[in-house]
Structure formats: C-alpha cells, structure tokens
Amino acid sequence: GQLEAIPHGRYFGIQKHLSAVAGGKHATWLAIDSEPREFPEGCTELIAVNRAFGFDVSAAQRLIEAMVLVDRRSAAHS
C-alpha cells in the first residue's frame, strides 16, 4: 500500500504505520521502492528498483528471493 509522506523518509513512515496497527511491531514487511535513500543503509526489507527500468525481471527475482527468506525465517520461529 501507500503510506503518508513524512519528512524523515519512507522507512520511518512504514515504522510509524506498523506501530499504529495491531501486531504491527512484529509484522514482517517488504518494500519495493525506487528511492533507496529513503531507507537506512543495509535495510533488508527493501527491494530497490531502478527508476529508469521500474519493476523489471531483476526486481521480481529479488522480491521472490526476499519472500523465500521471510518464509524460512517464519518457519524457523514456528
């Protein structure tokens, strides 16, 4: 979904949203974004896309890989 813009960047907008919803603090999330500067360096939840290419095959593959990792982590904690 789309979040309200906040001056501190999109990552902090996501954190604000998660803290406002039930169970959000423990939610697993991924972001697809063309502005990686809006996220902390090394943010593992970010799937950065090149603005010129948009959501291309490379971005789709990285999203799939990230989703597999999320599933593995979930299974390990169950």
Side-chain angles (χ1 to χ4, degrees), residues 3-15 37-39:
L3 301 172
E4 71 174 271
I6 65 169
H8 305 295
R10 292 181 183 136
Y11 175 82
F12 295 103
I14 292 167
Q15 298 307 308
R37 295 176 302 227
E38 296 275 333
F39 295 81

Side-chain angles (χ1 to χ4, degrees), residues 7-8 12-13 17 24 26 32 40-41 49 52 55 57-58 65 69-70:
H8 305 295
F12 295 103
H17 172 76
H26 303 290
I32 301 167
E41 188 173 330
V49 297
F55 189 78
V57 173
S58 173
E65 291 167 3
L69 285 174
V70 165

Side-chain angles (χ1 to χ4, degrees), residues 12-55:
F12 295 103
I14 292 167
Q15 298 307 308
K16 180 180 176 186
H17 172 76
L18 291 176
S19 69
V21 297
K25 287 196 180 241
H26 303 290
T28 301
W29 60 275
L30 295 170
I32 301 167
D33 206 303
S34 62
E35 293 294 334
R37 295 176 302 227
E38 296 275 333
F39 295 81
E41 188 173 330
C43 179
T44 58
E45 294 86 3
L46 174 63
I47 311 303
V49 297
N50 184 316
R51 182 177 291 227
F53 301 115
F55 189 78

